[in-house]
Amino acid sequence: MPYTAEISRASPSCFLFLIDQSGSMDERMEGGATKAGFVADVLNKTLYNVVTRCTRADGCRPYFDVGVVAYGGNGVGAGFGGPLASKVLHPLPDIEKSPLRIEERTKKVPDGAGGLVEQATKFPVWFDPANTGGTPMCEGMRKTAEVLVEWCDSHPNSYPPTVIHVTDGQSTDGDPEQIASQLRQIATNDGQALLFNLHIDATAAAPIIFPASEGVLPDQYSQGLFRMSSGFPPHLIGVAKERGYSPSAESRFFGYKAGFEAIVDFFEIGTRASQMR
């Protein structure tokens, strides 16, 4: 049965984030942040959460190789900067050791008397926002596929890699469906690569999250992203239900017109892999 391989230090899995950095990502979302800025914040928080989940008494364990491919007006390439800029994928302990900087931010926590108070917290930043030019989605998908082929060849028995793709617009360098189909066929012995697509939106439109049919989607663009997306691995259905969603066995891991809350949920659910040892 696919998607059941145990994740261990000797047999890690892989998270690869494919991020749209086109000019339209400068649009403002709820709270005033740009789409690019908000996605960067969620991605950095997700990386911190993955590091935390994989940290034991002996330190951060290499349960995952993690990377970012970014595409936009500056072309396509590795999304990390600093000491991580030389290649796309890195073992998780290397991620943990190499943030670009540590920012001090505030968060609201309960004060014990029914109210909230602001508390200072350290926020590691690995990925900075950018937004310029067109949307070379096809080229971004090709680069991602190249990285996955090499990774799967080196980890034939591992839990398959997961790609989380975030975009707010249509591809400007062709139709990405065929490339996405080829990407999903890249596999380990435990199953095919998982491609999760998230379309983000700054309007108040109701999002469509984890649809089971393209018939509920409004246009060819959203229907194409649906077809590009993988179905749910069985163990993630339970994770999604815990966060208030109702995916079925026919649902695709796809979100359309996602706003603030849906983006956070999508990343959280998508980075829950199988059992770690």
Side-chain angles (χ1 to χ4, degrees):
M1 186 176 180
Y3 308 112
T4 57
E6 189 174 64
I7 297 171
S8 67
R9 284 171 285 189
S11 184
S13 189
C14 170
F15 288 130
L16 183 53
F17 300 90
L18 177 59
I19 306 296
D20 179 351
Q21 293 191 323
S22 62
S24 58
M25 291 289 284
D26 68 350
E27 188 176 4
R28 298 281 169 179
M29 297 190 68
E30 176 184 352
T34 64
K35 293 176 183 175
F38 183 70
V39 169
D41 272 0
V42 175
L43 175 53
N44 285 314
K45 180 64 173 178
T46 299
L47 293 172
Y48 178 76
N49 288 342
V50 173
V51 166
T52 300
R53 291 203 303 266
C54 297
T55 297
R56 305 290 187 269
D58 57 350
C60 181
R61 294 184 175 180
Y63 291 139
F64 298 98
D65 293 327
V66 181
V68 179
V69 172
Y71 65 87
N74 293 324
V76 175
F80 288 134
L84 302 176
S86 60
K87 59 181 182 178
V88 172
L89 287 177
H90 301 269
L92 190 61
D94 291 352
I95 302 288
E96 188 264 341
K97 295 173 184 175
S98 304
L100 293 171
R101 59 188 178 277
I102 305 293
E103 295 182 357
E104 185 168 296
R105 300 192 180 186
T106 59
K107 64 179 180 179
K108 293 184 177 180
V109 297
D111 63 3
L116 295 173
V117 295
E118 289 191 344
Q119 182 182 79
T121 184
K122 301 295 185 181
F123 188 81
V125 173
W126 291 273
F127 178 77
D128 276 327
N131 46 266
T132 182
T135 310
M137 190 183 298
C138 292
E139 188 180 350
M141 290 273 178
R142 288 191 192 97
K143 178 63 176 177
T144 299
E146 291 174 5
V147 174
L148 294 190
V149 166
E150 182 176 349
W151 188 89
C152 288
D153 285 347
S154 299
H155 301 82
N157 297 314
S158 288
Y159 182 95
T162 299
V163 178
I164 296 181
H165 172 220
V166 182
T167 181
D168 75 332
Q170 299 185 38
S171 173
T172 56
D173 64 345
D175 183 353
E177 277 200 60
Q178 183 176 358
I179 304 167
S181 177
Q182 294 168 348
L183 188 156
R184 295 196 312 275
Q185 293 174 38
I186 300 166
T188 68
N189 296 330
D190 191 46
Q192 295 180 330
L194 296 165
L195 175 57
F196 301 159
N197 290 289
L198 180 65
H199 172 271
I200 64 173
D201 190 75
T203 70
I208 301 173
I209 308 296
F210 308 139
S213 167
E214 64 182 78
V216 302
L217 297 163
D219 51 41
Q220 292 183 348
Y221 169 62
S222 56
Q223 292 165 5
L225 284 173
F226 173 87
R227 292 189 296 269
M228 288 165 56
S229 302
S230 297
F232 263 77
H235 68 279
L236 288 186
I237 291 179
V239 178
K241 288 181 176 179
E242 290 173 1
R243 298 189 74 89
Y245 297 93
S246 301
S248 68
E250 291 74 38
S251 294
R252 300 286 181 98
F253 210 111
F254 168 57
Y256 185 64
K257 288 190 176 295
F260 187 92
E261 292 184 4
I263 296 170
V264 174
D265 287 344
F266 196 92
F267 273 71
E268 173 63 22
I269 298 166
T271 53
R272 294 284 180 173
S274 63
Q275 295 298 314
M276 297 183 295
R277 176 171 58 84

